[in-house]
Amino acid sequence: MNKIGLGYDIHPVDSSKGNLYLGGILISEKISSIGHSDGDVLIHALIDSILGAVNEGNIGIWFPENFYNRNRDSKEMLHEIFAKIGKCVKIINIDSVIILENIRLNPYIKNIKENISEILNLEVTKISCKPKSGNGFYKGYIMAQVITLLEEEG
Ligand SMILES: [Zn+2]
């Protein structure tokens, strides 16, 4: 049976320091996404979209803001979710939007898609990622929306 899930995430941006990660790829060493983990909004929204499709709660239930998850690499969280859920599902496709002011993300999209493709063992052609500038509306924030269509087996 086919199921669809939606994920959304937004974090404030520290424009003075840190490392910014999107889809597990280092985008900038000058700014960062402020969050309990590494603040990777794309992976967080992707996790929520997968969890939503299989009706298994949300990222906060699976990865609470505790000591263990502090500054955690979001790629690990995606690996963990996929290890638990991946056996019962076949992802059909993923579509996503990232909004970030000031940094043009187009040069990074190929690497982001390849990284997600590797983690989820999914053909890169089934992963879409569309960066947008936000036209000033999201100044000081980074936002991602992800929608995942999958087939639940059994
Ligand atoms: Zn987040």
Side-chain angles (χ1 to χ4, degrees), residues 37-100:
S37 66
D38 66 2
D40 190 324
V41 288
L42 182 61
I43 291 190
H44 295 176
L46 174 57
I47 288 172
D48 263 356
S49 73
I50 294 170
L51 290 174
V54 294
N55 202 0
E56 283 287 348
N58 64 68
I59 190 170
I61 294 171
W62 285 73
F63 305 101
E65 290 189 355
N66 57 23
F67 176 77
Y68 180 67
N69 291 320
R70 180 112 198 100
N71 298 321
R72 188 145 179 222
D73 181 342
S74 297
K75 287 196 305 293
E76 269 179 38
M77 300 188 207
L78 184 58
H79 266 298
E80 202 173 309
I81 289 290
F82 193 65
K84 285 180 178 146
I85 288 170
K87 294 179 283 292
C88 322
V89 303
K90 185 173 168 298
I91 294 176
I92 296 169
N93 74 301
I94 294 167
D95 191 16
S96 63
V97 173
I98 307 168
I99 298 184
L100 178 62

Side-chain angles (χ1 to χ4, degrees), residues 101-153:
E101 311 277 354
N102 303 326
I103 297 180
R104 294 288 168 208
L105 293 173
N106 269 324
Y108 303 96
I109 298 300
K110 185 173 179 282
N111 283 348
I112 289 172
K113 291 203 293 195
E114 283 171 358
N115 204 33
I116 292 169
S117 157
E118 199 174 304
I119 296 169
L120 297 179
N121 192 24
L122 178 70
E123 297 96 310
V124 76
T125 52
K126 295 180 175 174
I127 302 166
S128 159
C129 184
K130 309 184 297 286
K132 299 186 78 71
S133 81
N135 300 312
F137 190 75
Y138 287 84
K139 203 166 170 11
Y141 292 89
I142 182 163
M143 190 280 279
Q145 280 184 321
V146 180
I147 194 159
T148 297
L149 181 66
L150 54 78
E151 188 180 354
E152 210 168 28
E153 287 159 358

Side-chain angles (χ1 to χ4, degrees), residues 11-21 26 28-35 37-40 100 103 140-142:
H11 285 235
V13 169
D14 182 337
S15 52
S16 64
K17 63 177 179 351
N19 293 326
L20 178 70
Y21 289 94
L26 180 62
S28 171
E29 292 177 310
K30 293 181 180 147
I31 68 169
S32 55
S33 166
I34 303 166
S37 66
D38 66 2
D40 190 324
L100 178 62
I103 297 180
Y141 292 89
I142 182 163

